[in-house]
Amino acid sequence: GKEKWPRGEEKVWKDCMRDVDTDVSSITKSFVNHVQTSLARQPYNLDNLGAYQAAALSVRDNLLVNWNETALQYTRKAPKRAYYLSLEFLMGRTLDNALLNLGLKDQYAEGVKKLGFTMEDVLDQERDAALGNGGLGRLAACYLDSSASQELPVWGYGLRYKYGIFQQLISPAGEQLEAPDPWLDNQNPWELPRLDVSYEVRFYGHAERMNDGTPRAMWTGGQEVLAVAYDVMIPGCYTKTTNNLRLWESKPKRGFDLNSFNAGNYEAAVEASNSAAAITSVLYPNDHTSFGKELRLKQQYFWTAASLADILRRFKNIGKSITEFPDYVAIQLNDTHPTLAIPELMRILIDEEDLDWATAWKIVTNTFFYTNHTVLPEALEKWPVPLLEHLLPRHLQIIYDINLLFLQSVEKKYPGDRDRLARMSLIEEGFPKQVRMAYLACIGSRKVNGVAELHSELVKTTILKDFVEFEGVSKFGNVTNGITPRRWLDQCNPELSALISRTLKVDKAVWLKELTLLEKLLPLTEDAAFRTEWAGIKQRNKERLAHHVQTTLGLTINTNAMFDVQIKRLHEYKRQTLNILGVIHRYLTLKNMSAEEKKKVNPRVVFFAGKAAPAYYIAKLTIRLIVNVARIINADPDTKDLLSLYFLPDYSVSLAEVLIPASDISQHISTAGTEASGTSNMKFCLNGGLLLGTVDGANIEIAEEVGESNVFFFGHLTPAVEDLRYQHTYHPVPIEEKCPALANVLNQVSGGLFGDAHVYEPLLNTIRQGDYYLLSDDFDSYIAALAMVDEAYLDQTEWVKKSIRTTAKMGKFSSDRAINEYAESYWNIEAQRVV
Ligand code: GPW
């Protein structure tokens, strides 16, 4: 029988249960309690780090109350739930976000002050949780925030990497160096170890088909590893709903392999335990590239297998028939990284639940949803068949079976079309053969979506064209990305948030969750006093950034200049190179100006930040060029008041929170058709920064919202790109002829104006030869667009109007809108009120 609960005296239990703290005195009490007990520290020698830890532990107690009640509610009501499987969650810091979402920021600030600390110093002690590379991982974090804020029963599943994205250092020569990010070293108050929640995950071994008339097989032997859960609380904004992000840590099943140990082979025994721990030791620092490494495949399987086992166990507790699985569970695949979940669920349903193939496949294809985040070929995951066969023999069998049945159905619709079969096969022929993960994700899912209108069209007309023809277009959709206005406005730009609440006479508890209310700011473009306030806030954010750079890097920045910002992963398609070559062009132009001409120029400070994948040679060269151009330009007395340039090392979520509110203009200048969406473009615009960009990704939808007259567009459009590349290959025109301005800039770099003459040749040659990303095609119009930005900036009144209009029209880009689209049109889940 079931245990009676609570044990003992119910009243004693109930009287002792805590609720969320709301008043300053219980907050200070809990803070001091944690200093005394959890931290075992003396009040008189408590430093800022200790104060942060005490504050975090006390906030965590509050979150746990809500987190438990949310879990209880979900268990009782058993609604359909959605699971967001992502190899990356780029969370950043938690304390400030938790305080704002709980609505306790003021109370904590007051309490902390009474105890002799300032909130700012305390918040600044927290290390970023940087379990992601860039946009894809940060999107996952924004979606968790929105799911909780919209009271949706959504959990995240990921890996608890011991090392997050590497720390970036810049050498004296301007080279990127990488250092590990041991983010857990100071303990992590935001996670809850769940040593009781663990699963065994198998690798290698043998798979033997039963051949008993069923599709079953036995998978035995190999290596078994334990997946242990760590839970991270995800508070919603002004709601009790506090969801869960479950991260898996790998560990050896039995500490030591006793067989080897007894055989006297101590080293082999320890090695086995090392290899289990290695699985979740480090986040792969590659963005938009798939390297085919065995350990990465191990990570993917380890994580999908543990997550599915956990989801299945939870489903089974409801007591429904397995065929009802898709009525209770939706699983979103964040890119193809979790695609092994498809054959893994087939394996469980067939080998363990004993279902027939058709029933199992029907369950699978009603459970999964796949989001594609790129059409760049180098990013599309393919796994070598021999590697899969070795590591996951049963899954390879299942993939082959899926492929066979799939190709039979294609053959039936297009008899004799051999080319089509070869194109659509899950297996790419070659040496070795490879499994095309995007195709597997596509056919194994209920729906497929891209992340902005243009990108979703490109998915349908390029990489998945045959699949659209075969399966029908209704399976393919778009959910334009979004960003959480909690972190990316209220938290990073508190003054602007307060001005908005004051002006609209609407509490932020309302407009932060209904962001289209920002439209009510539109009439205020005509209010001079409001414009002054607006401009004043931008100015103070610029000073805050300058202060940050002064204290961290010792550099003094001219805050009277226009702040021009490009911050994102270094990648050729994002064209940081175009930006730095544009800066050099500007520098050369200034050098040739008379003193009189210079008076008309408005000063500009250009900021770059971003990491390059450690093995991405060309991207690293771009960083080196930026740093060395900065060195020359910033020291040139002829120009330094009018143009200066900074590369801020070790870009992170926290640095973005300081940079974004300070930008007058930001650059999103990818070759048309290459940036699936972009999300920092949305963050800048939400904070009243104007956008300089190409007609690409979500830039297009931003322009649709704010009006084309409020953005600065340049460059060739997507349909022209293919033709231009063809021209480059078959009718190349020397760069001196095609774009003399760019040729001159390249020659200056080659000639050693920024030192290291020979060093940059491989980078410059990517433009001189082939120019795959079309810098020479877009350079002139880029320079013209920059000139338009300068001109527009001269009219400050009009500029501030544009800035206000931009913020006002950004409501669409709240991740609340995006997550509601997923909930309604994809997952079919409903909000659950937790009281
Ligand atoms: F290649 N994105 C990313 F599609 O940050 F997998 N890393 C990646 O590895 C990939 C995509 C991948 C980004 C897109 O480049 C960006 O345009 C988009 O806004 C973001 O994902 C979120 O959808």
Side-chain angles (χ1 to χ4, degrees), residues 157-218:
Y157 276 107
L159 290 181
R160 181 182 182 268
Y161 304 109
K162 194 161 159 206
Y163 299 98
I165 190 65
F166 63 84
Q167 185 196 349
Q168 179 191 53
L169 305 161
I170 302 295
S171 82
E175 288 166 299
Q176 169 179 291
L177 304 175
E178 298 96 24
D181 164 40
W183 71 293
L184 294 165
D185 277 5
N186 287 342
Q187 289 199 320
N188 176 12
W190 306 112
E191 69 180 7
L192 231 81
R194 286 275 150 143
L195 304 182
D196 54 320
V197 180
S198 77
Y199 300 92
E200 289 171 10
V201 178
R202 183 186 309 279
F203 296 103
Y204 312 107
H206 302 279
E208 200 130 2
R209 294 187 187 267
M210 303 285 234
N211 292 321
D212 58 353
T214 75
R216 292 178 64 199
M218 285 266 277

Side-chain angles (χ1 to χ4, degrees), residues 134-136 139 287-288 335 337 373-374 379 451 481 573-574 675-679:
L136 175 138
L139 183 75
D287 202 54
H288 291 93
D335 214 80
H337 315 148
H373 295 265
T374 188
V451 291
N481 283 166
Y573 88 81
K574 295 179 189 280
E675 188 68 276
S677 160
T679 41

Side-chain angles (χ1 to χ4, degrees), residues 753-766:
L753 185 55
F754 307 103
D756 308 323
H758 56 286
V759 165
Y760 303 110
E761 289 309 294
L763 170 62
L764 305 179
N765 286 340
T766 62

